[in-house]
Every structure is written in structure tokens, then in C-alpha cells.
Amino acid sequence: MYVDRSAAEAKTTFDGLVGLYFQVESKPRGLGDEAYFDTHLGLHILKGKTRLFIETGFSDSTKGHHYSGDLAKIVLPNAG
């Protein structure tokens, strides 16, 4: 979890990582302000000035997406 100085700074960093380090595989709904799974099954979430990255280590995308989403729902209510 990363907390930036402002929501604008977090958004700029979040957007800047796409393509530079990560490729978007899919965009789940209902997680933060914006979220995506990268091609290595990592879940990236932006909520306000908080950026969250979750990687479960599953090689199966169905399990990886499921468990990452569950973890995010636990952590996100506390993210600001």
C-alpha cells in the first residue's frame, strides 16, 4: 500500500505505471476509484490518495482474481 501526498499525485503515479511497468489484462468493477489486473495477475487499485497492489501468487487467473478481490475488499474500507 502506498499513500501519496494527494489524490492527484496518486492518480498521476497510478496512470504512469500502466504501460511503463505493467500491462492491463482486465479492469474489475467496484474496487476503489479505479482498478486493474496486470498480465502477471497483480491487482492494482487506486482509491483517493492511496494506491494498493495485491499479488496472491496463484498462477491460475480465476483463483488469483478471486482471492485478490477478496483481500482488496477487506483492506479498502481502511484506505483513504
Coordinates of all heavy atoms in Angstrom, one line a residue:
M1 N 0.9 -1.2 0.0 CA 0.0 0.0 0.0 C 0.9 1.2 0.0 O 1.9 1.3 0.7 CB -0.9 0.0 1.2 CG -1.8 1.2 1.3 SD -3.0 1.2 2.7 CE -4.0 -0.2 2.3
Y2 N 0.6 2.2 -0.8 CA 1.3 3.4 -1.0 C 0.3 4.6 -0.7 O -0.8 4.6 -1.3 CB 1.9 3.6 -2.3 CG 2.7 2.4 -2.7 CD1 2.2 1.3 -3.4 CD2 4.1 2.3 -2.4 CE1 2.9 0.2 -3.8 CE2 4.9 1.2 -2.8 CZ 4.3 0.2 -3.5 OH 5.1 -0.9 -3.8
V3 N 0.7 5.5 0.1 CA -0.2 6.7 0.3 C 0.6 7.9 -0.2 O 1.7 8.2 0.3 CB -0.5 6.9 1.8 CG1 -1.4 8.1 2.0 CG2 -1.3 5.6 2.3
D4 N 0.1 8.6 -1.2 CA 0.7 9.7 -1.8 C 0.2 11.0 -1.1 O -0.7 11.0 -0.3 CB 0.4 9.8 -3.3 CG 1.1 8.7 -4.1 OD1 2.3 8.6 -4.0 OD2 0.4 7.9 -4.7
R5 N 0.9 12.1 -1.4 CA 0.5 13.4 -0.8 C -0.9 13.9 -1.1 O -1.5 14.6 -0.4 CB 1.5 14.5 -1.1 CG 2.9 14.2 -0.4 CD 3.9 15.2 -0.8 NE 4.3 14.9 -2.2 CZ 5.3 15.3 -2.8 NH1 6.2 16.1 -2.2 NH2 5.6 15.0 -4.1
S6 N -1.4 13.5 -2.3 CA -2.7 14.0 -2.7 C -3.3 12.9 -3.7 O -2.6 12.1 -4.2 CB -2.6 15.3 -3.5 OG -1.9 15.2 -4.7
A7 N -4.6 13.1 -3.9 CA -5.3 12.2 -4.8 C -4.7 12.4 -6.2 O -4.6 11.5 -7.0 CB -6.8 12.4 -4.8
A8 N -4.4 13.6 -6.6 CA -3.9 14.0 -7.9 C -2.6 13.3 -8.1 O -2.3 12.7 -9.2 CB -3.8 15.5 -8.1
E9 N -1.7 13.3 -7.1 CA -0.4 12.7 -7.3 C -0.5 11.2 -7.4 O 0.2 10.5 -8.2 CB 0.5 13.0 -6.0 CG 1.9 12.4 -6.1 CD 2.7 12.7 -4.9 OE1 2.4 13.7 -4.1 OE2 3.7 12.0 -4.6
A10 N -1.4 10.6 -6.6 CA -1.7 9.2 -6.7 C -2.2 8.8 -8.1 O -1.8 7.7 -8.6 CB -2.7 8.7 -5.6
K11 N -3.1 9.5 -8.6 CA -3.7 9.3 -9.9 C -2.6 9.3 -11.0 O -2.5 8.5 -11.9 CB -4.8 10.2 -10.2 CG -5.4 10.2 -11.6 CD -6.3 9.0 -11.8 CE -7.0 9.1 -13.2 NZ -7.1 7.9 -13.9
T12 N -1.7 10.3 -10.9 CA -0.6 10.5 -11.9 C 0.3 9.3 -11.8 O 0.7 8.8 -12.9 CB 0.1 11.8 -11.6 OG1 -0.8 12.9 -11.8 CG2 1.3 12.0 -12.6
T13 N 0.7 8.9 -10.6 CA 1.6 7.7 -10.5 C 0.9 6.5 -10.9 O 1.5 5.7 -11.7 CB 2.0 7.6 -9.0 OG1 2.6 8.8 -8.6 CG2 3.0 6.4 -8.8
F14 N -0.4 6.3 -10.6 CA -1.1 5.1 -11.0 C -1.2 5.0 -12.5 O -0.9 3.9 -13.0 CB -2.5 5.2 -10.4 CG -3.4 4.0 -10.6 CD1 -3.3 2.9 -9.7 CD2 -4.3 3.9 -11.6 CE1 -4.1 1.8 -9.9 CE2 -5.1 2.8 -11.8 CZ -5.0 1.7 -10.9
D15 N -1.5 6.1 -13.1 CA -1.6 6.1 -14.6 C -0.2 5.9 -15.2 O -0.1 5.2 -16.3 CB -2.2 7.4 -15.1 CG -3.7 7.5 -14.8 OD1 -4.3 6.5 -14.4 OD2 -4.2 8.6 -14.9
G16 N 0.8 6.4 -14.6 CA 2.1 6.3 -15.2 C 2.7 4.9 -15.1 O 3.6 4.6 -15.9
L17 N 2.3 4.1 -14.2 CA 2.8 2.7 -14.1 C 2.2 1.8 -15.2 O 2.9 0.8 -15.6 CB 2.4 2.1 -12.8 CG 3.2 2.8 -11.6 CD1 2.6 2.2 -10.3 CD2 4.6 2.6 -11.7
V18 N 1.1 2.2 -15.8 CA 0.5 1.4 -16.8 C 1.3 1.6 -18.1 O 1.5 2.7 -18.5 CB -1.0 1.8 -17.1 CG1 -1.6 1.0 -18.3 CG2 -1.8 1.5 -15.8
G19 N 1.7 0.5 -18.7 CA 2.5 0.6 -19.9 C 4.0 0.7 -19.6 O 4.8 0.1 -20.4
L20 N 4.4 1.4 -18.6 CA 5.8 1.5 -18.2 C 6.3 0.2 -17.6 O 7.3 -0.3 -18.0 CB 6.0 2.7 -17.3 CG 7.4 3.0 -16.9 CD1 8.3 3.3 -18.2 CD2 7.4 4.2 -16.0
Y21 N 5.5 -0.2 -16.6 CA 5.9 -1.4 -15.9 C 4.9 -2.6 -16.0 O 5.2 -3.7 -15.9 CB 6.1 -1.2 -14.4 CG 7.3 -0.3 -14.1 CD1 7.1 1.1 -13.8 CD2 8.6 -0.7 -14.2 CE1 8.1 1.9 -13.5 CE2 9.6 0.1 -14.0 CZ 9.4 1.4 -13.6 OH 10.5 2.2 -13.4
F22 N 3.6 -2.2 -16.2 CA 2.5 -3.2 -16.1 C 1.6 -3.1 -17.4 O 1.4 -2.0 -17.9 CB 1.6 -3.0 -14.9 CG 2.4 -3.1 -13.6 CD1 2.7 -2.0 -12.9 CD2 2.9 -4.3 -13.1 CE1 3.4 -2.0 -11.7 CE2 3.6 -4.4 -12.0 CZ 3.9 -3.2 -11.2
Q23 N 1.1 -4.2 -17.8 CA 0.2 -4.2 -18.9 C -1.2 -4.6 -18.4 O -1.3 -5.6 -17.6 CB 0.6 -5.2 -20.0 CG 1.9 -4.9 -20.6 CD 2.0 -3.5 -21.3 OE1 1.0 -3.1 -22.0 NE2 3.0 -2.8 -21.1
V24 N -2.3 -4.0 -18.7 CA -3.6 -4.3 -18.2 C -4.2 -5.5 -18.9 O -4.2 -5.6 -20.1 CB -4.5 -3.1 -18.5 CG1 -5.9 -3.4 -18.0 CG2 -4.0 -1.8 -17.8
E25 N -4.6 -6.4 -18.0 CA -5.3 -7.6 -18.5 C -6.8 -7.4 -18.5 O -7.5 -7.8 -19.4 CB -4.9 -8.9 -17.7 CG -5.6 -10.1 -18.1 CD -5.5 -11.2 -17.1 OE1 -6.1 -11.2 -16.0 OE2 -4.7 -12.2 -17.4
S26 N -7.3 -6.9 -17.3 CA -8.7 -6.7 -17.2 C -8.9 -5.6 -16.1 O -8.0 -5.3 -15.3 CB -9.5 -8.0 -16.8 OG -9.0 -8.4 -15.5
K27 N -10.1 -5.0 -16.1 CA -10.5 -4.0 -15.1 C -11.7 -4.4 -14.3 O -12.8 -4.3 -14.8 CB -10.7 -2.7 -15.9 CG -9.5 -2.1 -16.5 CD -9.8 -0.7 -17.1 CE -8.5 -0.1 -17.6 NZ -8.6 1.3 -18.0
P28 N -11.5 -4.8 -13.1 CA -12.6 -5.2 -12.3 C -13.4 -4.0 -11.8 O -12.9 -2.9 -11.7 CB -12.0 -5.9 -11.1 CG -10.6 -5.3 -11.0 CD -10.2 -5.0 -12.4
R29 N -14.7 -4.2 -11.6 CA -15.5 -3.1 -11.1 C -15.7 -3.1 -9.6 O -15.7 -4.2 -9.0 CB -16.9 -3.1 -11.8 CG -16.8 -2.9 -13.3 CD -18.1 -3.0 -14.0 NE -17.9 -2.9 -15.4 CZ -18.9 -2.7 -16.2 NH1 -20.1 -2.6 -15.8 NH2 -18.7 -2.6 -17.5
G30 N -16.0 -2.0 -9.0 CA -16.4 -1.9 -7.6 C -15.2 -2.0 -6.7 O -15.4 -2.2 -5.5
L31 N -14.0 -1.8 -7.1 CA -12.8 -1.7 -6.3 C -12.2 -0.3 -6.4 O -11.6 0.0 -7.4 CB -11.8 -2.8 -6.6 CG -12.2 -4.2 -6.5 CD1 -11.1 -5.2 -7.0 CD2 -12.5 -4.5 -5.0
G32 N -12.3 0.5 -5.3 CA -11.7 1.8 -5.3 C -12.3 2.7 -6.4 O -13.4 2.5 -6.9
D33 N -11.5 3.7 -6.8 CA -11.8 4.7 -7.8 C -11.5 4.1 -9.2 O -12.2 4.4 -10.2 CB -11.1 6.0 -7.7 CG -11.4 6.7 -6.3 OD1 -12.5 6.5 -5.8 OD2 -10.5 7.3 -5.8
E34 N -10.5 3.2 -9.2 CA -10.0 2.6 -10.5 C -9.2 1.4 -10.1 O -8.6 1.4 -9.1 CB -9.2 3.6 -11.2 CG -8.9 3.4 -12.6 CD -8.2 4.5 -13.3 OE1 -8.3 5.7 -12.9 OE2 -7.4 4.2 -14.3
A35 N -9.3 0.4 -10.9 CA -8.5 -0.9 -10.6 C -8.3 -1.6 -11.9 O -9.0 -1.5 -12.9 CB -9.3 -1.7 -9.6
Y36 N -7.2 -2.4 -11.9 CA -6.9 -3.3 -13.0 C -6.1 -4.5 -12.5 O -5.3 -4.4 -11.6 CB -6.2 -2.6 -14.2 CG -4.8 -2.1 -13.9 CD1 -3.7 -2.9 -14.2 CD2 -4.6 -0.9 -13.4 CE1 -2.4 -2.5 -13.9 CE2 -3.3 -0.4 -13.2 CZ -2.2 -1.2 -13.5 OH -1.0 -0.8 -13.2
F37 N -6.2 -5.6 -13.2 CA -5.3 -6.8 -13.1 C -4.3 -6.6 -14.2 O -4.6 -6.4 -15.3 CB -6.1 -8.1 -13.2 CG -6.8 -8.5 -12.0 CD1 -8.2 -8.3 -12.0 CD2 -6.2 -9.1 -10.9 CE1 -9.0 -8.7 -10.8 CE2 -6.9 -9.4 -9.8 CZ -8.3 -9.2 -9.8
D38 N -3.0 -6.8 -13.8 CA -2.0 -6.8 -14.8 C -1.8 -8.2 -15.4 O -2.4 -9.2 -14.9 CB -0.6 -6.2 -14.3 CG 0.0 -7.1 -13.2 OD1 0.0 -8.3 -13.3 OD2 0.6 -6.5 -12.3
T39 N -1.0 -8.4 -16.4 CA -0.8 -9.6 -17.1 C -0.1 -10.7 -16.2 O -0.1 -11.9 -16.6 CB 0.0 -9.5 -18.4 OG1 1.2 -8.8 -18.1 CG2 -0.8 -8.7 -19.4
H40 N 0.4 -10.3 -15.1 CA 1.1 -11.2 -14.1 C 0.1 -11.5 -12.9 O 0.6 -12.0 -11.9 CB 2.4 -10.7 -13.6 CG 3.4 -10.5 -14.7 ND1 4.0 -11.6 -15.4 CD2 3.8 -9.4 -15.4 CE1 4.8 -11.1 -16.3 NE2 4.7 -9.8 -16.3
L41 N -1.1 -11.1 -13.1 CA -2.2 -11.4 -12.1 C -2.1 -10.5 -10.8 O -2.8 -10.7 -9.8 CB -2.3 -12.8 -11.7 CG -2.4 -13.9 -12.8 CD1 -2.5 -15.3 -12.3 CD2 -3.6 -13.5 -13.7
G42 N -1.3 -9.4 -10.9 CA -1.3 -8.5 -9.8 C -2.5 -7.5 -9.9 O -2.9 -7.1 -11.0
L43 N -3.1 -7.2 -8.8 CA -4.2 -6.3 -8.7 C -3.8 -4.9 -8.3 O -3.2 -4.8 -7.2 CB -5.3 -6.9 -7.8 CG -6.5 -6.0 -7.5 CD1 -7.3 -5.6 -8.8 CD2 -7.5 -6.7 -6.5
H44 N -4.0 -3.9 -9.1 CA -3.6 -2.5 -8.8 C -4.9 -1.7 -8.5 O -5.8 -1.8 -9.4 CB -2.9 -1.9 -9.9 CG -1.7 -2.7 -10.3 ND1 -0.4 -2.4 -10.0 CD2 -1.6 -3.9 -11.0 CE1 0.5 -3.2 -10.5 NE2 -0.2 -4.2 -11.1
I45 N -5.0 -1.0 -7.4 CA -6.2 -0.3 -7.1 C -5.8 1.2 -6.7 O -4.8 1.4 -6.0 CB -6.9 -0.9 -5.9 CG1 -7.3 -2.4 -6.2 CG2 -8.2 -0.1 -5.6 CD1 -7.8 -3.2 -5.1
L46 N -6.6 2.1 -7.1 CA -6.5 3.5 -6.7 C -7.7 3.9 -6.0 O -8.8 3.7 -6.5 CB -6.3 4.4 -8.0 CG -6.3 5.9 -7.8 CD1 -5.1 6.3 -7.0 CD2 -6.4 6.6 -9.1
K47 N -7.5 4.4 -4.8 CA -8.7 5.0 -4.0 C -8.2 6.2 -3.3 O -7.4 6.1 -2.4 CB -9.2 3.9 -3.0 CG -10.4 4.5 -2.2 CD -10.9 3.4 -1.2 CE -12.1 4.0 -0.5 NZ -12.6 3.1 0.6
G48 N -8.7 7.3 -3.8 CA -8.2 8.6 -3.2 C -6.7 8.8 -3.4 O -6.2 8.7 -4.5
K49 N -6.0 9.0 -2.3 CA -4.6 9.2 -2.4 C -3.8 7.9 -2.1 O -2.6 7.9 -2.0 CB -4.1 10.3 -1.5 CG -4.3 10.1 0.0 CD -3.8 11.3 0.7 CE -3.9 11.1 2.2 NZ -3.3 12.1 3.0
T50 N -4.6 6.8 -2.1 CA -4.0 5.5 -1.7 C -3.9 4.6 -3.0 O -4.9 4.5 -3.7 CB -4.8 4.8 -0.7 OG1 -4.9 5.6 0.5 CG2 -4.2 3.5 -0.3
R51 N -2.7 4.0 -3.2 CA -2.5 3.0 -4.2 C -2.2 1.7 -3.6 O -1.4 1.6 -2.7 CB -1.4 3.4 -5.2 CG -1.6 4.7 -5.9 CD -0.5 5.1 -6.8 NE 0.7 5.5 -6.0 CZ 1.9 5.0 -5.9 NH1 2.1 3.9 -6.6 NH2 2.8 5.5 -5.2
L52 N -2.9 0.7 -4.0 CA -2.8 -0.7 -3.4 C -2.4 -1.7 -4.5 O -2.9 -1.6 -5.6 CB -4.1 -1.0 -2.8 CG -4.3 -2.4 -2.1 CD1 -3.4 -2.5 -0.9 CD2 -5.7 -2.6 -1.7
F53 N -1.5 -2.5 -4.1 CA -1.1 -3.6 -5.0 C -1.2 -4.9 -4.3 O -0.6 -5.1 -3.2 CB 0.4 -3.4 -5.5 CG 0.9 -4.5 -6.3 CD1 0.5 -4.7 -7.6 CD2 1.9 -5.4 -5.8 CE1 1.0 -5.8 -8.4 CE2 2.4 -6.5 -6.5 CZ 1.9 -6.7 -7.8
I54 N -1.9 -5.9 -4.9 CA -2.0 -7.2 -4.3 C -1.6 -8.3 -5.3 O -2.1 -8.3 -6.4 CB -3.5 -7.5 -3.8 CG1 -3.9 -6.5 -2.8 CG2 -3.7 -8.9 -3.3 CD1 -5.4 -6.5 -2.4
E55 N -0.8 -9.2 -4.9 CA -0.4 -10.3 -5.7 C -0.5 -11.6 -4.8 O 0.2 -11.6 -3.8 CB 1.0 -10.1 -6.3 CG 1.4 -11.2 -7.3 CD 2.7 -11.0 -7.9 OE1 3.6 -10.4 -7.3 OE2 2.8 -11.3 -9.1
T56 N -1.3 -12.5 -5.2 CA -1.5 -13.7 -4.3 C -0.6 -14.8 -4.7 O -0.4 -15.7 -3.8 CB -3.0 -14.2 -4.5 OG1 -3.2 -14.6 -5.9 CG2 -4.0 -13.2 -4.1
G57 N 0.1 -14.8 -5.8 CA 1.0 -15.9 -6.2 C 0.3 -17.0 -6.9 O 1.0 -18.0 -7.3
F58 N -1.0 -17.0 -7.1 CA -1.6 -18.0 -7.9 C -1.3 -17.9 -9.3 O -1.3 -16.8 -9.9 CB -3.2 -17.9 -7.7 CG -3.7 -18.5 -6.4 CD1 -4.0 -17.6 -5.4 CD2 -3.8 -19.8 -6.2 CE1 -4.4 -18.0 -4.1 CE2 -4.3 -20.3 -5.0 CZ -4.6 -19.4 -3.9
S59 N -1.1 -19.0 -10.0 CA -0.8 -19.0 -11.5 C -2.1 -19.1 -12.2 O -2.2 -18.8 -13.4 CB 0.2 -20.0 -11.9 OG -0.3 -21.3 -11.5
D60 N -3.2 -19.5 -11.6 CA -4.5 -19.7 -12.2 C -5.2 -18.3 -12.0 O -5.4 -17.8 -10.9 CB -5.3 -20.8 -11.4 CG -6.7 -20.9 -11.9 OD1 -7.5 -20.1 -11.5 OD2 -6.9 -21.8 -12.8
S61 N -5.6 -17.7 -13.2 CA -6.1 -16.4 -13.1 C -7.5 -16.3 -12.4 O -7.7 -15.3 -11.7 CB -6.3 -15.8 -14.5 OG -7.2 -16.5 -15.3
T62 N -8.3 -17.4 -12.5 CA -9.6 -17.3 -11.8 C -9.4 -17.3 -10.3 O -10.0 -16.5 -9.6 CB -10.4 -18.6 -12.2 OG1 -10.6 -18.6 -13.6 CG2 -11.7 -18.6 -11.5
K63 N -8.5 -18.1 -9.8 CA -8.2 -18.1 -8.3 C -7.5 -16.8 -7.9 O -7.8 -16.2 -6.9 CB -7.3 -19.3 -7.9 CG -8.0 -20.6 -7.9 CD -7.1 -21.7 -7.4 CE -7.8 -23.0 -7.4 NZ -7.0 -24.1 -7.0
G64 N -6.5 -16.4 -8.7 CA -5.8 -15.2 -8.4 C -6.7 -13.9 -8.3 O -6.6 -13.1 -7.4
H65 N -7.6 -13.8 -9.3 CA -8.5 -12.7 -9.3 C -9.5 -12.8 -8.1 O -9.8 -11.8 -7.5 CB -9.3 -12.7 -10.6 CG -8.5 -12.3 -11.8 ND1 -9.1 -12.0 -13.0 CD2 -7.2 -12.1 -12.0 CE1 -8.1 -11.7 -13.9 NE2 -7.0 -11.7 -13.3
H66 N -10.0 -13.9 -7.9 CA -10.9 -14.1 -6.8 C -10.3 -13.7 -5.4 O -10.9 -12.9 -4.7 CB -11.4 -15.6 -6.7 CG -12.3 -15.9 -5.6 ND1 -13.6 -15.5 -5.5 CD2 -12.0 -16.5 -4.4 CE1 -14.1 -15.9 -4.4 NE2 -13.2 -16.5 -3.7
Y67 N -9.1 -14.3 -5.1 CA -8.5 -14.1 -3.8 C -8.0 -12.6 -3.7 O -8.1 -12.0 -2.6 CB -7.4 -15.1 -3.5 CG -8.0 -16.4 -3.2 CD1 -7.8 -17.5 -4.1 CD2 -8.8 -16.7 -2.1 CE1 -8.3 -18.8 -3.8 CE2 -9.3 -17.9 -1.8 CZ -9.1 -19.0 -2.7 OH -9.6 -20.2 -2.4
S68 N -7.5 -12.1 -4.8 CA -7.0 -10.7 -4.7 C -8.2 -9.8 -4.5 O -8.1 -8.8 -3.7 CB -6.4 -10.3 -6.1 OG -5.2 -11.0 -6.2
G69 N -9.3 -10.0 -5.1 CA -10.5 -9.2 -4.9 C -11.0 -9.3 -3.5 O -11.4 -8.3 -2.9
D70 N -11.0 -10.5 -2.9 CA -11.4 -10.7 -1.5 C -10.5 -9.9 -0.6 O -11.0 -9.2 0.3 CB -11.4 -12.1 -1.2 CG -12.6 -12.9 -1.8 OD1 -13.5 -12.3 -2.3 OD2 -12.6 -14.2 -1.6
L71 N -9.2 -10.0 -0.8 CA -8.3 -9.2 0.1 C -8.5 -7.7 -0.1 O -8.5 -7.0 0.9 CB -6.8 -9.6 -0.3 CG -6.4 -10.9 0.2 CD1 -5.0 -11.2 -0.4 CD2 -6.2 -10.9 1.7
A72 N -8.7 -7.3 -1.3 CA -8.9 -5.8 -1.5 C -10.2 -5.3 -0.8 O -10.1 -4.2 -0.2 CB -9.1 -5.6 -3.0
K73 N -11.2 -6.1 -0.8 CA -12.4 -5.7 -0.1 C -12.3 -5.6 1.4 O -12.9 -4.8 2.1 CB -13.6 -6.6 -0.4 CG -14.0 -6.5 -1.9 CD -15.0 -7.6 -2.2 CE -15.3 -7.5 -3.7 NZ -16.1 -8.6 -4.2
I74 N -11.3 -6.3 2.0 CA -11.0 -6.2 3.4 C -10.2 -5.0 3.7 O -10.5 -4.2 4.6 CB -10.2 -7.5 3.9 CG1 -11.2 -8.7 3.8 CG2 -9.7 -7.3 5.3 CD1 -10.4 -10.0 4.0
V75 N -9.2 -4.7 2.8 CA -8.3 -3.6 3.0 C -8.9 -2.2 2.6 O -8.7 -1.2 3.3 CB -7.0 -3.8 2.3 CG1 -6.1 -2.6 2.4 CG2 -6.3 -5.1 2.8
L76 N -9.7 -2.2 1.6 CA -10.1 -0.9 1.0 C -10.9 0.0 1.9 O -10.8 1.2 1.9 CB -10.9 -1.1 -0.3 CG -10.0 -1.3 -1.5 CD1 -10.9 -1.7 -2.7 CD2 -9.2 -0.1 -1.8
P77 N -11.8 -0.6 2.8 CA -12.6 0.3 3.7 C -11.6 1.2 4.6 O -12.0 2.2 5.0 CB -13.4 -0.6 4.5 CG -13.6 -1.8 3.7 CD -12.3 -1.9 2.9
N78 N -10.4 0.7 4.8 CA -9.4 1.4 5.6 C -8.5 2.4 4.8 O -7.8 3.1 5.4 CB -8.6 0.5 6.4 CG -9.5 -0.4 7.3 OD1 -10.3 0.1 8.0 ND2 -9.3 -1.7 7.3
A79 N -8.6 2.2 3.5 CA -7.7 3.1 2.6 C -8.3 4.5 2.5 O -9.5 4.6 2.5 CB -7.6 2.4 1.3
G80 N -7.5 5.5 2.4 CA -8.0 6.8 2.3 C -7.5 7.5 1.1 O -7.5 8.5 0.7

